[in-house]
Amino acid sequence: QVQLVESGGGLVQAGGSLRLSCAASGLAFSNYAMGWFRQAPGKEREFVAVINWSGGSTYYTDSVKGRFTISRDNAKNTVYLQMNSLKPEDTAVYYCGANRAGTYIAATYDYWGQGTQVTVSS
């Protein structure tokens, strides 16, 4: 079965950095675009970043542009999210998802991980 397993979350001070990883198994990884989403308490899941199947195209929500970088290693079936200059408003559970179309719409994603908590203290 398909599994997406996120790791790398934790507690960090404002201005700090974290690198999230999402390891995929059970799917043809290089056939899928991969996205990162986040969900804060009491809020809906929101789009963060997406990368196409080859890694040659990326797209970010405005609030993370210039601070976050999405990348992937198809040989390792893994997608990453490098998060720099973190802010308290980045605090959320971060989820990775697999999507053939490479959209920013959560409902179009085929598979999801279980999430990893990111907490940014002020």
Side-chain angles (χ1 to χ4, degrees), residues 4-17:
L4 302 178
V5 180
E6 301 97 335
S7 61
L11 173 64
V12 63
Q13 288 188 332
S17 297

Side-chain angles (χ1 to χ4, degrees), residues 32-35 37 45 47 50 97-112:
Y32 285 83
M34 298 297 296
F37 288 72
R45 190 170 298 191
F47 168 76
V50 64
N99 169 292
R100 287 189 181 272
T103 77
Y104 55 85
I105 302 171
T108 66
Y109 278 67
D110 301 304
Y111 306 105
W112 292 98

Side-chain angles (χ1 to χ4, degrees), residues 37-96:
F37 288 72
R38 64 188 180 187
Q39 189 166 16
K43 295 188 176 182
E44 293 188 354
R45 190 170 298 191
E46 67 167 350
F47 168 76
V48 175
V50 64
I51 188 167
N52 75 334
W53 67 274
S54 69
S57 179
T58 59
Y59 182 71
Y60 300 89
T61 192
D62 285 347
S63 63
V64 308
K65 285 180 181 176
R67 299 189 299 123
F68 291 11
T69 302
I70 189 171
S71 61
R72 66 189 294 159
D73 184 338
N74 286 348
K76 295 183 178 180
N77 285 4
T78 302
V79 61
Y80 305 98
L81 186 68
Q82 178 67 44
M83 306 187 294
N84 298 330
S85 302
L86 282 161
K87 304 175 181 180
E89 51 263 44
D90 294 319
T91 295
V93 177
Y94 282 70
Y95 299 89
C96 69

